[in-house]
Amino acid sequence: MRHLPIRVVKVGGSLLDFEGLVPALREWVNSQTPAIHILIAGGGPFTDIVRQIDERFAIGEINSHWMCIRLLDCTARLLVLLLPEAELVTRFEDLETYCRHNEGRIIAFSCEQFLQHREPCDDEEPALPHDWSVTTDSIAARLSCAIDADELVLLKSCDPPPLTNAPHAPQLALAGYTDDHFGDVAAGLDLRWVNLLSGEEWWI
């Protein structure tokens, strides 16, 4: 039986360039209400290199996509090095077990196995495209749905763009703050955006 809520936290790849990432991330996690924290790290400069290689050698979007997904294993492991209190989990089945029995630990989740073997098997939603239009924003949203998370938080290095109405997922996707698919994948989720550099937060 689950005792704590599940909070999926996408740690934006741009934050890997933030010198104060470790204390800011640790302070943010410690300031939250008790929960099972599942961290998914973006690719940041690692995926930028793949994009440059694709532009130079035309390796194709599908190959580039899966290279980037494999690099997310590196950024997940990097999170564990930066936050030794976090535990690395690489299999979705193990993640489900942690969510049933974990009492407040921090999990750094490597999502390759989930995307290869579990995410395409969802009968209600089509698999995410295997191209440059998908980022860890939508991957974190898809995982949040699969794990029945209570909240999805996007930690980024900038504020959302100014919008005429209160921020919501489709608006932010259209404004380029998230990827193109986030509005559809995140529909119905309890969402929060945080500029980790300033500490400012926005809710839906």
Side-chain angles (χ1 to χ4, degrees), residues 38-51:
I38 302 172
L39 308 183
I40 296 181
F46 300 100
T47 53
D48 290 341
I49 292 173
V50 176
R51 189 182 293 274

Side-chain angles (χ1 to χ4, degrees), residues 62-102:
I62 294 177
N63 290 324
S64 298
H65 172 83
W66 287 111
M67 287 182 69
C68 289
I69 295 304
R70 292 183 180 100
L71 286 170
L72 295 182
D73 181 71
C74 295
T75 54
R77 294 173 187 274
L78 176 60
L79 280 182
V80 174
L81 292 175
L82 298 177
L83 292 177
E85 61 266 38
E87 297 187 41
L88 179 70
V89 177
T90 61
R91 289 168 42 85
F92 182 72
E93 296 81 0
D94 295 337
L95 183 65
E96 290 181 306
T97 299
Y98 268 77
C99 288
R100 286 194 296 268
H101 303 293
N102 176 342

